[in-house]
Amino acid sequence: MQSDASAIDVAVLYQRHGDLVYGRCLGMLRNEADAVDASQEVFLRVHRHAEGFRGQSKASTWLYRIATNVCLNVIRSRSRHPEDPVEEVPDLSPAPVGDSVLDTLALRQLVEQLLLGWDERTQQCVVYHFMDGMTHDEVGELLGISGAAVRKRLARFRIESQARFPCWSGWQGDLSEDPR
Amino acid sequence: MSPTPPPPHVERTVTPPSPVGTDRTGPPPQQPAHLSTLRLHQLRTGELDPPQARAAQAHLDACPDCRRRMQSQQAFRHAFELQPPPVALPSPSPSPWAALSRWARWAPLPVLVAALALVAVRVVPSPIDAGPDAGPDAGSDTRLKGAQDLVVLVAGHGVLDPGEAIHPGDRLQLRVPAGAWQEAWVGDADGLIGHFELQTDRPTLSPFALTVDGEPGDEHLFVVLSDDPLDEEAAEAALAGRRMDGVSVRRLDLDKEH
């Protein structure tokens, strides 16, 4: 019986951060089955790319980023297949990592709508900032770009979003500076 | 046996979107209005650098909302741990538990099972006698349902207390207390099932789950605990009754109700 190093790493990562990944997927996808599938995909990717983790930043950061990207892929896929309804389970969505404001169902639904049509990097910025409450600098660190670059992307996002979704007018001015 | 516990309740506010931290009456810029979900997780898992941890902890001490969110994370973590990942033992089909456990869906994925469970699930015939006097140190080390040191957890139920029975379809995990042991091997009457490394500074939960089958009769698990890394051959020898320095074999007798 043997277990290679990558397998050990994945197991350790799962033990330590599996709840973070699953909570993230549940929060973004709002569907338990999709969240399970997405979590599975995250750890499969980790398994395939375990070597890439060593020596990098915090393991949880790495996993969180992968989970976010996987979930964004799912959301984009959903948008391409609107004929496949998603059975939402609001009571199960991101309760695990419970944010009373950040993770409101309304916010998530709106963000999901807004994400459609934006480039991946902007989508990531939006999710990390508005759903996760990260500062511009934190988002920048996570994505490997500057906080200023994050701020610019979010500002552009805000302007266009307000034009399409007037209910976001309450955001006016909020993004011109790091709210944190 | 109770069904899967609901996730921790979290107050929900369905209000117009309002990014956290945008309250202009709140703290000045660069002072986090709230800790992000990831930051809370990193604080809880000890991943932050000392300065970061101090800052986050200071915020947490002063912010009731973040403390509540931290508690919610901890509760979710606890519930998550009771939903074990891959299956290592055959389960009757259809399993009533399968409909409840989200992780049951992971079971068909061999690569993930191998990766997460740390073990290649393999049943090795061994001379273990499942009778009441079987196993080395059967007298002094026999434990019922993990009393005292080893703990059996049932998915969706929690700790299996003395006198409680397991049922077909139940998914079990072992929790080994912190101590001098470095490695645990788990076996049943048919041989070794899997092994995992142990944390010496905190309890270790087995990274695999055992699903109770529908065979008649009680279940008997054996746990080989070793002070040093133990290979498969040595673990089998320990299960067969060979005494070895630094190796202890515990037996768990689990009543099974059908």
Side-chain angles (χ1 to χ4, degrees):
Chain A
M1 185 173 300
Q2 62 182 15
S3 55
D4 60 37
S6 62
I8 291 174
D9 285 346
V10 173
V12 170
L13 289 176
Y14 173 81
Q15 281 189 287
R16 292 197 68 189
H17 307 298
D19 56 327
L20 176 74
V21 170
Y22 181 67
R24 163 48 126 202
C25 295
L26 201 55
M28 286 189 69
L29 302 177
R30 308 191 314 278
N31 175 277
E32 189 172 12
D34 286 349
V36 170
D37 289 343
S39 299
Q40 174 179 301
E41 175 63 20
V42 169
F43 283 99
L44 278 174
R45 290 190 185 189
V46 168
H47 181 63
R48 286 196 294 263
H49 305 289
E51 296 284 329
F53 165 65
R54 294 190 178 86
Q56 294 194 352
S57 58
K58 298 177 180 66
S60 59
T61 300
W62 188 58
L63 286 169
Y64 206 67
R65 199 166 60 228
I66 294 174
T68 301
N69 292 340
V70 168
C71 289
L72 285 172
N73 286 342
V74 173
I75 291 172
R76 283 191 286 267
S77 176
R78 283 177 181 172
S79 71
R80 290 193 293 268
H81 302 281
E83 68 279 9
D84 299 332
V86 176
E87 183 181 350
E88 293 186 358
V89 189
D91 290 341
L92 294 177
S93 49
V97 283
D99 296 299
S100 59
V101 177
L102 280 176
D103 293 333
T104 60
L105 188 59
L107 175 58
R108 289 194 312 277
Q109 288 176 331
L110 197 49
V111 167
E112 184 170 326
Q113 293 284 323
L114 292 169
L115 287 177
L116 307 179
W118 289 89
D119 63 279
E120 290 184 23
R121 183 48 57 87
T122 299
Q123 290 177 353
Q124 292 164 349
C125 290
V126 169
V127 169
Y128 291 132
H129 183 68
F130 293 117
M131 292 187 71
D132 298 336
M134 293 183 186
T135 65
H136 296 162
D137 288 341
E138 286 174 334
V139 175
E141 182 181 352
L142 197 68
L143 298 177
I145 59 179
S146 69
V150 173
R151 188 184 69 246
K152 288 178 183 175
R153 285 179 179 274
L154 292 176
R156 187 164 55 88
F157 174 82
R158 172 183 58 84
I159 292 170
E160 295 193 21
S161 297
Q162 284 179 353
R164 296 163 60 190
F165 300 91
C167 62
W168 277 35
S169 58
W171 285 26
Q172 210 160 20
D174 287 335
L175 297 175
S176 58
E177 60 184 6
D178 194 326
R180 312 279 294 276
Chain B
M1 190 71 60
S2 62
T4 306
H9 172 73
V10 173
E11 179 185 355
R12 296 189 171 282
T13 55
V14 183
T15 58
S18 172
V20 151
T22 56
D23 180 359
R24 293 172 188 169
T25 62
Q30 303 308 317
Q31 294 299 316
H34 291 290
L35 298 175
S36 70
T37 299
L38 178 60
R39 185 65 64 158
L40 284 173
H41 175 87
Q42 291 172 335
L43 176 64
R44 185 168 55 77
T45 55
E47 274 197 305
L48 296 177
D49 299 332
Q52 292 177 319
R54 281 194 296 273
Q57 187 61 53
H59 176 94
L60 197 63
D61 292 342
C63 180
D65 188 52
C66 285
R67 282 202 301 276
R68 182 189 54 75
R69 292 168 58 225
M70 176 65 99
Q71 290 170 352
S72 177
Q73 271 201 15
Q74 291 168 332
F76 179 69
R77 172 72 190 182
H78 180 67
F80 180 84
E81 287 178 339
L82 295 179
Q83 298 295 316
V87 177
L89 289 180
S91 173
S93 183
S95 164
W97 186 256
L100 298 173
S101 170
R102 62 175 185 255
W103 298 118
R105 293 165 53 96
W106 293 49
L109 194 63
V111 64
L112 196 63
V113 170
L116 297 180
L118 279 177
V119 298
V121 177
R122 185 166 74 84
V123 177
V124 181
S126 78
I128 293 175
D129 175 6
D133 296 322
D137 303 332
S140 60
D141 279 341
T142 295
R143 297 286 184 268
L144 294 179
K145 301 174 181 60
Q148 294 188 9
D149 50 6
L150 299 183
V151 174
V152 175
L153 298 166
V154 181
H157 174 80
V159 174
L160 188 69
D161 293 323
E164 285 189 296
I166 57 176
H167 304 82
D170 277 352
R171 307 184 72 198
L172 313 178
Q173 278 185 289
L174 286 175
R175 190 170 67 202
V176 182
W181 300 306
Q182 289 196 16
E183 189 162 9
W185 282 82
V186 181
D188 66 0
D190 294 322
L192 294 174
I193 298 170
H195 75 131
F196 53 103
E197 296 178 2
L198 302 175
Q199 306 289 333
T200 56
D201 58 343
R202 61 181 183 273
T204 306
L205 198 64
S206 63
F208 52 83
L210 310 175
T211 301
V212 179
D213 62 25
E215 293 296 315
D218 295 336
E219 293 286 348
H220 307 277
L221 290 177
F222 297 87
V223 184
V224 180
L225 299 164
S226 174
D227 293 347
D228 298 301
L230 195 67
D231 62 26
E232 181 180 356
E233 186 178 353
E236 287 180 341
L239 281 177
R242 183 186 305 167
R243 290 183 180 276
M244 289 179 276
D245 290 340
V247 176
S248 176
V249 181
R250 308 297 172 90
R251 173 180 164 145
L252 303 169
D253 296 325
L254 307 173
D255 298 332
K256 183 161 66 174
E257 290 181 353
H258 294 270

